[in-house]
């Protein structure tokens, strides 16, 4: 069987490579989407210095887990005030990049609710307008800089929308570990665990192939070794670079497989229990590893490259790793009863991401 791997993103990696931005966007006008602390950290000023008057618009109030309640106004103001810009530059974590992906997809009316209506159908569509996207992550975890997916939340209605179009692939990813130096310990751990989940989810996945496995295994090995060290030494440039590269490799892996059961469970844990995404998608990893083991010989072989031949030891290793980072690994730790947990897993298996899980048809 032919293995196919496709990723159209022009990816730049290296310490200080944000400097490439000026050349990448030559003669183009740019709108910046970033997080509230970016200005105090000097990031907005730095980008202004690189782009000069070509930086024509700045959105700097992006919140975690972009929600329709805030996105509606941001979207409509963007298309009214900066609709003529050439490029949208997202600088931040997954929420900033996801917000930018939503912003670049223009509707005929310029109204956000038209976009929501299109997303609600669950069907592909061709947008009326679309901007070029450049993504520069400031956390090591999201992978959104090399994938086309964005999650839009509607917490008031307990819903989420998944955005995925040909034009929501970033044109360029700028992965500069220097941008990650100031990330605090909690966010470093949460985003690093998101990357670990991306890599593992791409292995116990019906869409996995030897190319995605190569990225995934390398990412897992690096994260298991590097993340605890980085938590103790947040200002270490070498460790920041290793985690940035590991997260990028995990992003490349799941850019071709999509995520699976752990992520499907995470959406419910975020919507109903308020868990940050990186914790919500990683606390079940030992459980899901057990559910995955034994369903597919090729997948087992790849998992054994990381964890060895003993399932119990593999689960214990993963559980102890999470505990060492102060992440609890049982549903009960988050106020979920065994009955509720079983129902949540059954529901998650029916979701689009749950159906990617190799054990979904026998669960």
């Amino acid at each position: 069987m032919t293995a196919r791997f496709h990723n159209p993103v022009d990816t730049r990696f290296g310490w200080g490579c944000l400097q490439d931005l000026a050349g990448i966007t030559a003669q183009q006008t740019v709108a910046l989407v970033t997080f509230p602390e970016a200005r105090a950290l000097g990031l907005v000023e730095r980008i202004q210095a690189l782009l000069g008057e070509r930086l024509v618009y700045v959105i700097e109030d992006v919140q975690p887990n972009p929600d329709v309640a805030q996105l509606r106004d941001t979207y409509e103001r963007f298309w009214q005030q900066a609709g003529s810009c050439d490029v949208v530059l997202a600088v931040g974590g997954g929420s900033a990049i996801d917000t930018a992906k939503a912003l670049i997809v223009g509707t005929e009316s310029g109204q956000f609710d038209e976009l929501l209506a299109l997303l609600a159908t669950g069907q592909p569509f061709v947008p009326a307008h679309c901007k070029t996207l450049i993504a520069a992550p400031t956390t090591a975890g999201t992978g959104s800089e090399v994938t086309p997916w964005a999650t839009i939340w509607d917490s008031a209605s307990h819903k989420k929308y998944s955005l995925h179009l040909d034009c929501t692939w970033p044109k360029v990813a700028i992965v500069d570990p220097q941008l990650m130096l100031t990330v605090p310990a909690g966010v470093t751990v949460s985003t690093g665990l998101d990357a670990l989940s991306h890599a593992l989810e791409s292995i116990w996945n019906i869409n996995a192939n030897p190319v995605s496995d190569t990225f995934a295994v390398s990412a897992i090995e690096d994260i298991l070794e590097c993340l605890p060290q980085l938590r103790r030494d947040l200002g270490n440039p070498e460790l920041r670079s290793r985690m940035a590269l590991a997260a990028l490799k995990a992003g490349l892996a799941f850019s071709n497989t999509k995520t699976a059961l752990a992520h499907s469970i995470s959406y419910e844990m975020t919507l109903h229990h308020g868990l940050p995404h990186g914790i919500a998608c990683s606390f079940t990893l030992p459980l899901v590893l057990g559910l995955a083991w034994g369903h597919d010989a090729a997948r087992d072989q790849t998992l054994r490259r990381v964890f060895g031949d003993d399932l119990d030891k593999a689960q214990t290793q993963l559980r102890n790793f999470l505990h060492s980072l102060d992440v609890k690994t049982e549903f009960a730790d988050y106020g979920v009863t065994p009955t509720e947990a079983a129902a949540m897993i059954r529901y998650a298996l029916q979701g689009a991401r749950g159906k990617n899980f190799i054990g979904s048809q026998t669960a």
Side-chain angles (χ1 to χ4, degrees):
M1 183 180 295
T2 300
R4 184 184 175 203
F5 187 92
H6 171 73
N7 191 293
V9 183
D10 174 1
T11 303
R12 317 291 179 97
F13 177 87
W15 195 269
C17 70
L18 184 66
Q19 291 293 127
D20 291 0
L21 181 62
I24 292 169
T25 60
Q27 299 180 329
Q28 293 178 304
T29 53
V30 179
L32 171 65
V33 178
T34 193
F35 54 102
E37 299 83 5
R39 189 172 292 274
L41 291 169
L43 261 179
V44 176
E45 184 180 9
R46 188 174 168 198
I47 291 164
Q48 178 78 67
L50 286 169
L51 299 178
E53 61 185 22
R54 292 191 290 112
L55 180 62
V56 295
Y57 194 74
V58 179
I59 296 168
E60 53 188 308
D61 58 352
V62 168
Q63 299 301 312
N65 301 324
D67 195 283
V68 297
Q70 187 201 30
L71 267 178
R72 182 176 286 104
D73 181 57
T74 302
Y75 179 95
E76 292 174 5
R77 277 190 292 113
F78 167 75
W79 281 98
Q80 288 166 8
Q81 299 175 14
S84 62
C85 76
D86 300 311
V87 173
V88 173
L89 168 66
V91 178
S95 295
I97 300 173
D98 280 7
T99 296
K101 287 177 180 176
L103 293 181
I104 67 171
V105 180
T107 57
E108 287 282 3
S109 64
Q111 301 298 302
F112 183 70
D113 285 341
E114 184 182 342
L115 175 59
L116 277 190
L118 290 166
L119 292 176
T121 69
Q123 300 299 314
F125 62 93
V126 178
H129 318 281
C130 203
K131 301 293 183 186
T132 297
L133 175 64
I134 296 173
T138 59
T139 61
T142 173
S144 192
E145 72 278 4
V146 289
T147 74
W149 303 297
T151 300
I152 299 170
W153 301 87
D154 185 347
S155 55
S157 301
H158 296 290
K159 293 179 182 177
K160 77 167 189 71
Y161 300 91
S162 184
L163 175 61
H164 170 206
L165 302 171
D166 287 344
C167 74
T168 53
W169 284 99
K171 182 177 182 182
V172 182
I174 301 174
V175 184
D176 182 348
Q178 190 176 26
L179 298 179
M180 304 170 191
L181 267 180
T182 57
V183 178
V187 178
T188 297
V189 168
S190 179
T191 55
L193 292 178
D194 190 17
L196 177 64
S197 183
H198 292 154
L200 283 167
E201 294 260 89
S202 73
I203 292 175
W204 52 56
N205 198 302
I206 62 172
N207 302 307
N209 67 61
V211 184
S212 61
D213 281 352
T214 299
F215 285 118
V217 169
S218 181
I220 294 164
E221 291 172 345
D222 284 347
I223 293 166
L224 292 177
E225 180 182 341
C226 184
L227 187 55
Q229 297 178 45
L230 178 57
R231 187 195 190 202
R232 295 189 296 268
D233 190 5
L234 294 169
N236 187 308
E238 180 185 352
L239 292 174
R240 286 290 184 189
S241 295
R242 286 184 63 195
M243 271 303 301
L245 184 56
L248 174 60
K249 287 185 285 191
L252 290 168
F254 92 98
S255 75
N256 275 247
T257 64
K258 305 179 184 176
T259 52
L261 179 57
H263 269 73
S264 192
I265 294 169
S266 82
Y267 302 135
E268 292 298 298
M269 292 299 294
T270 295
L271 273 175
H272 298 290
H273 297 272
L275 259 65
H277 176 68
I279 306 303
C281 67
S282 63
F283 86 95
T284 60
L285 291 176
L287 169 67
V288 178
L289 174 62
L291 296 175
W293 201 281
H295 281 287
D296 182 290
R299 302 297 86 222
D300 284 355
Q301 186 176 16
T302 303
L303 289 169
R304 286 188 172 102
R305 286 167 57 190
V306 178
F307 294 110
D309 294 332
D310 188 308
L311 172 59
D312 288 339
K313 287 183 180 178
Q315 288 180 291
T316 298
Q317 178 188 348
L318 198 47
R319 198 173 288 116
N320 289 343
F321 172 78
L322 290 163
H323 291 171
S324 77
L325 297 169
D326 297 325
V327 175
K328 297 174 180 178
T329 54
E330 305 301 324
F331 278 100
D333 296 324
Y334 302 98
V336 180
T337 68
T339 302
E340 291 169 336
M344 192 181 296
I345 293 170
R346 285 195 301 272
Y347 179 74
L349 283 164
Q350 300 308 309
R353 296 298 182 256
K355 290 176 181 177
N356 293 332
F357 179 59
I358 54 173
S360 63
Q361 293 182 349
T362 57

